[in-house]
Amino acid sequence: MKKQRLAVLGSTGSIGGNTLDVVARHPDRFEVVALTAATQVDAMLAQCEQFRPRVAVMASAPHAAELAEKIKQKGLPTQVDQAPDALEKVASSGEVDTVMAAIVGAAGLAPCLAAARAGKRLLLANKEALVVGGEVFLRAVREGGAALLPIDSEHSAIFQSLPDDPATWGQRIDKIILTASGGPFRTRAPASLCEVTPEQACAHPNWVMGRKISVDSATMMNKALEVIEARYLFGVSPDQLDVVIHPQSVIHSMVQYRDTSVVAQLGTPDMRVPIAYGLSWPERIESGAGALDFRNLQNLTFEPIDGDGHRERYPGLALAWESLRGESGSCAVLNAANEVAVAAFLERQIRFDQIHAVNRATLDEVQPNAPDGLEALLDLDARARAAALATVRLLAV
């Protein structure tokens, strides 16, 4: 069997680490060609020692120089790069078959576009590529002939629950139902959310994730972004997308068909499951995750998103449908605002409950310009960030 040659963008993050854990279980199937990271030099060095990639990319020149020196001292064969276009070069390299896109935020858009245009097998863990890129990104996938496979647990579950032939989806699907855990504040009084600390917001009850996505889970903005991503991934209308709170995180999402039957994907809350499926599709390989034991499984419960104070608890969720129905580029504005707002909260510049205020104000202020390419998308992203930062300064605690 010919090995898949793999590039992991964001290899020192949660998704990147889980990807390499799966890959290490199948040395006969995968070869790690390239790894990229932001600033974690020692973590990258350890990965280079274990997987011996041909290229390692760091986000800044000082971190790249530090890594290069340590790699030289250990006599490793890895070349270190830090050029402005290094991520795009890795993602589109002829030496790479499969790209795991696990860079958090809009920073992952350019390399995702490069991988799509180069016709790669693109494992999309960076939901912002679709949220920001929208039709621009989908056009690159079509024109490049890329294979786009979702890695978010919810979108992987939907993909696994759909018919094999995408041409039949429109005639057979009634709606897609994404599940949400509700995060750490599902039962907390909405009026008390102004007191939430970054440490509390990052303590997810089910999943081990990075700080940004953990905060997004606490506000339910991650689910808003997932609704947007599902609209583009699966070609459904906003009216065909629904969200239900499922605290146990066992059912990862569902597809309801025209005959009212529902197909769902279940599994333990372990990101290695969707990662292994994306790496091996259409086959399945061992992931390292524990199996569900139905004899000891707790009750599976569900709550409507508009019940029990959830509208007040998660005001940002409705912005997904508003953005999808708005002008082209509205979703990119929402994503940029949220990245700025979450960063400000983590730096204790604004309160937890003010994240939504920043997102709301930015959507109201920034007029999208129907972006038709990467440059226009980045310009819109910059304008939205500037507006969001201005609101953060007004709200600063």
Side-chain angles (χ1 to χ4, degrees):
M1 180 186 296
K2 182 182 177 181
K3 290 184 179 182
Q4 275 190 60
R5 299 173 298 175
L6 180 66
V8 182
L9 311 183
S11 66
T12 60
S14 175
I15 296 295
N18 278 313
T19 299
L20 293 176
D21 181 88
V22 174
V23 166
R25 298 169 189 275
H26 303 277
D28 57 321
R29 298 184 65 113
F30 304 104
E31 176 189 359
V32 177
V33 173
L35 299 173
T36 83
T39 61
Q40 295 189 55
V41 172
D42 289 339
M44 175 62 87
L45 180 64
Q47 291 177 350
C48 290
E49 285 188 271
Q50 181 177 1
F51 295 98
R52 295 182 172 262
R54 301 174 201 176
V55 180
V57 177
M58 300 301 291
S60 73
H63 292 100
E66 181 183 352
L67 177 65
E69 178 60 29
K70 291 185 175 182
I71 280 178
K72 180 180 178 181
Q73 291 173 0
K74 289 183 175 291
L76 298 175
T78 304
Q79 174 187 341
V80 179
D81 198 353
Q82 192 277 317
D85 61 347
L87 291 176
E88 290 96 311
K89 285 167 58 179
V90 162
S92 60
S93 169
E95 297 183 333
V96 170
D97 305 311
T98 300
V99 176
M100 169 59 77
I103 297 175
V104 176
L109 176 59
C112 282
L113 280 169
R117 291 173 180 143
K120 303 301 182 185
R121 182 188 183 103
L122 180 55
L123 311 183
L124 192 65
N126 175 301
K127 63 176 66 69
E128 290 85 0
L130 269 172
V131 173
V132 177
E135 291 298 336
V136 173
F137 180 69
L138 289 180
R139 185 169 65 246
V141 171
R142 290 192 299 268
E143 293 176 354
L148 183 62
L149 298 169
I151 299 301
D152 273 349
S153 61
E154 294 82 1
H155 301 95
S156 177
I158 293 163
F159 184 63
Q160 295 179 58
S161 301
L162 286 168
D164 289 337
D165 184 3
T168 68
W169 292 354
Q171 294 77 42
R172 300 173 67 178
I173 297 173
D174 181 31
K175 64 179 178 178
I176 286 171
I177 306 166
L178 292 95
T179 58
S181 70
F185 308 131
R186 181 177 59 86
T187 60
R188 182 163 176 155
S192 72
L193 292 177
C194 60
E195 303 167 0
V196 165
T197 67
E199 292 75 21
Q200 291 170 328
C202 290
H204 196 280
N206 299 338
W207 298 92
V208 178
M209 305 180 292
R211 283 164 61 79
K212 195 269 182 183
I213 193 172
S214 294
V215 175
D216 281 348
S217 180
T219 62
M220 202 85 90
M221 275 304 300
N222 73 315
K223 208 55 52 178
L225 298 177
E226 287 168 10
V227 166
I228 296 168
E229 184 181 6
R231 180 262 176 271
Y232 287 113
L233 271 174
F234 307 115
V236 295
S237 72
D239 293 335
Q240 290 178 287
L241 293 164
D242 199 2
V243 173
V244 64
I245 293 177
H246 170 51
Q248 294 80 22
S249 297
V250 171
I251 297 177
H252 297 300
S253 278
M254 300 169 271
V255 176
Q256 182 171 303
Y257 287 85
R258 294 287 175 87
D259 62 359
T260 72
S261 62
V262 176
V263 177
Q265 188 265 341
L266 286 69
T268 52
D270 190 319
M271 282 306 300
R272 290 176 295 179
V273 176
I275 289 169
Y277 185 70
L279 285 168
S280 63
W281 179 85
E283 302 175 45
R284 290 182 185 268
I285 59 175
E286 192 266 329
S287 67
L292 283 179
D293 184 349
F294 284 90
R295 295 166 299 182
N296 297 318
L297 194 63
Q298 296 178 354
N299 292 333
L300 303 182
T301 61
F302 304 90
E303 302 168 13
I305 58 173
D306 57 355
D308 193 29
H310 290 329
R311 285 189 183 275
E312 295 76 21
R313 205 171 276 116
Y314 312 115
L317 182 58
L319 298 181
W321 287 271
E322 178 182 330
S323 299
L324 284 171
R325 294 181 178 119
E327 296 295 325
S328 176
S330 295
C331 297
V333 172
L334 175 61
N335 179 76
N338 187 61
E339 287 191 21
V340 169
V342 171
F345 166 68
L346 288 172
E347 293 168 6
R348 305 180 193 274
Q349 296 174 352
I350 62 173
R351 301 192 312 265
F352 178 81
D353 61 320
Q354 291 176 323
I355 293 173
H356 175 66
V358 173
N359 295 341
R360 175 74 272 167
T362 306
L363 275 176
D364 290 341
E365 180 177 343
V366 178
Q367 180 65 36
N369 54 357
D372 58 359
L374 178 59
E375 184 176 342
L377 285 168
L378 294 178
D379 176 72
L380 178 59
D381 179 80
R383 289 197 292 120
R385 288 172 189 275
L389 281 169
T391 301
V392 165
R393 286 192 286 270
L394 289 174
L395 295 173
V397 294

